[in-house]
Amino acid sequence: MTSAQPPRAVFAMDPVHLPLLFPPPLMARLQQVAEIDTTLVVQDFTAPDAAPALARAEVLITGWGCPHLDADVLAAAPNLRTVLHAAGSVRSLVGEALWKSGISVSSAVTGNALPVAEYTLGMILLAGKDTFAYRERFRDTHAYPSTAETAATGNLGRRVGIIGASRVGRRLLELLRPFDLSVALYDPYADAEEAAALGAELLSLEDLLRRSDIVSLHAPDIPETHRMLDRDKLALIRDGGVVINTSRGALVDPDALSDELVSGRLSAVLDVTEPEPLPAGSPLYKLPNVFLTPHIAGSLGNELARLGGIVVDELERVSAGLPPVHEVRHADLAHVA
């Protein structure tokens, strides 16, 4: 593809996301480098208007709500050369057929990593000040805590354990640098030198859990990480410890975590759960030691334009005959979220 002949592009996502991902300035840039019908957004590849759109597509601009790109979709899109994903992970979007096809895949996952890291940083600092517990007590007592009650509170030297040097994990480690925290990292693909360069001490999972006041999950959701924090692993976290999960609920045994939280031994900040959302009767909704949010850590609202901007940048490169900067390779998904 060259700038002399703009690539033919098609949107494939839930249409509700389109104006946030591509506000007018970004949409104007996109139209300058690609031939695209901005009124057509494919959400169902079996719909009547999908077949002609796929047949002419050289670039597929995907996002949340895009169906799985299986062999049938690829057969209907013989000219497809590039998939630009205006969202995070491509795990659920891309299958073996596409990886074997030689079609390049790019993701705006690096742009989505920033708000998740920012959310997590905020929660770490608030947890270190025991903010959520003090808020609950203040609601009940209307009284300020005594010096004795706050003696163990604060972020100076607080031990934070990061599980996973994923894109989010690395961005979070970067954001943690200015603070007087003691940071540890567990990642089976990292070595001590790499961890040190990221500002953390490399530990085994067991040692990280035993030695951390706050444990934050940033590992990918793959078979090897399913229930990585089971009942035995959660028991290693010291009394009063905090578990933060902005990755996937499947990384933690939900029954074991619920038992720890109901007992009051641990606290948690949970932006993701299993199942998601939790059933209406779950005790986690009302526990004072649980701060539960509805999967909001990732890009929301005006933050989506950051993802759209990455896609437009990539499309400009593709139209100039250059490879995408944020290309995803199949092997990357084994250890990078």
Side-chain angles (χ1 to χ4, degrees), residues 72-275:
D72 291 340
V73 174
L74 298 184
N79 298 306
L80 185 62
R81 298 293 177 266
T82 304
V83 174
L84 303 178
H85 192 49
S89 174
V90 299
R91 285 179 202 285
S92 61
L93 178 71
V94 178
E96 289 297 325
L98 194 142
W99 293 123
K100 292 177 180 178
S101 70
I103 294 169
S104 68
V105 179
S106 169
S107 171
V109 66
T110 54
N112 198 48
L114 177 56
V116 180
E118 291 174 338
Y119 172 103
T120 308
L121 170 65
M123 293 302 172
I124 287 171
L125 296 176
L126 289 172
K129 296 282 281 190
D130 208 7
T131 305
F132 309 117
Y134 285 127
R135 175 178 180 267
E136 295 298 322
R137 292 173 203 154
F138 196 37
R139 275 179 164 180
D140 293 338
T141 66
H142 303 168
Y144 285 17
S146 68
T147 301
E149 290 173 316
T150 62
T153 302
N155 283 311
L156 179 61
R158 181 75 65 185
R159 175 70 115 177
V160 178
I162 306 299
I163 297 177
S166 61
R167 291 179 180 88
V168 175
R170 288 168 184 268
R171 197 62 188 266
L172 176 60
L173 288 165
E174 178 184 332
L175 295 180
L176 288 170
R177 284 182 179 274
F179 301 96
D180 292 324
L181 298 164
S182 176
V183 182
L185 171 68
Y186 165 72
D187 189 300
Y189 296 93
D191 58 28
E193 184 178 355
E194 182 181 9
L198 293 169
E201 178 187 6
L202 189 69
L203 297 177
S204 68
L205 178 58
E206 291 77 10
D207 283 345
L208 181 144
L209 295 172
R210 291 189 188 98
R211 295 167 56 182
S212 296
D213 302 301
I214 300 169
V215 174
S216 190
L217 284 154
H218 303 286
D221 182 10
I222 56 178
E224 291 80 3
T225 62
H226 186 74
R227 303 284 197 274
M228 66 184 304
L229 293 193
D230 58 16
R231 193 171 297 276
D232 291 340
K233 294 293 193 304
L234 288 170
L236 296 176
I237 302 174
R238 62 185 59 177
D239 292 356
V242 181
V243 175
I244 300 176
N245 193 358
T246 57
S247 181
R248 288 291 184 268
L251 273 59
V252 186
D253 181 327
D255 294 332
L257 179 61
S258 181
D259 289 347
E260 291 280 17
L261 297 173
V262 169
S263 75
R265 194 184 76 81
L266 299 179
S267 298
V269 174
L270 303 175
D271 189 53
V272 293
T273 57
E274 189 175 82

